[in-house]
């Protein structure tokens, strides 16, 4: 039985590397770098963040599919979310 995981990245712009901050869409560039790395066969090490310094490893994943959707944020404003469909390796 295969198990799949759907991950929506809610990118914290404070975590984007400096070299991506000056491009037109830094959040897209950051998420695209994840996609490019995964499509080239590099594994994704998935962690769940529970607090400012609290991370829990979920395993090594591979990218099966990705898409963007429009969804409301916590304030009800519509924004673009990146959705990654992952499979545990």
């Amino acid at each position: 039985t295969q198990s799949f995981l759907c991950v929506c990245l809610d990118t914290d712009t404070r975590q984007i590397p400096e070299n991506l901050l000056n491009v037109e869409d830094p959040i897209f560039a950051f998420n695209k770098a994840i996609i490019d790395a995964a499509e080239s066969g590099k594994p994704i090490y998935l962690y769940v963040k529970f607090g400012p310094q609290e991370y829990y490893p979920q395993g090594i994943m591979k990218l099966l599919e990705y898409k963007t959707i429009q969804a409301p944020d916590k304030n009800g404003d519509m924004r673009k979310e990146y959705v990654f469909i992952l499979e545990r390796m």
Side-chain angles (χ1 to χ4, degrees):
T1 304
Q2 290 186 323
S3 93
F4 300 98
L5 174 67
C6 176
V7 178
C8 293
L9 286 186
D10 186 9
T11 306
D12 181 347
T13 55
R14 297 170 296 176
Q15 302 297 322
I16 294 177
E18 283 187 39
N19 65 312
L20 297 177
L21 291 176
N22 295 323
V23 301
E24 183 179 335
D25 187 347
I27 293 174
F28 174 78
F30 179 73
N31 289 318
K32 179 84 169 88
I34 295 170
I35 293 165
D36 291 346
E39 286 183 335
S40 70
K42 294 180 181 172
I44 298 170
Y45 296 87
L46 183 66
Y47 292 83
V48 174
K49 182 177 180 179
F50 285 102
Q53 298 296 319
E54 194 175 0
Y55 296 88
Y56 293 95
Q58 301 300 302
I60 301 172
M61 309 288 173
K62 71 177 180 177
L63 177 67
L64 298 178
E65 176 187 349
Y66 69 92
K67 59 186 172 183
T68 59
I69 60 171
Q70 292 292 321
D73 64 15
K74 64 183 176 185
N75 298 318
D77 298 321
M78 294 302 289
R79 65 189 179 115
K80 186 187 318 181
E81 287 187 0
Y82 297 84
V83 179
F84 296 87
I85 309 299
L86 306 174
E87 179 180 37
R88 189 175 303 275
M89 294 180 74

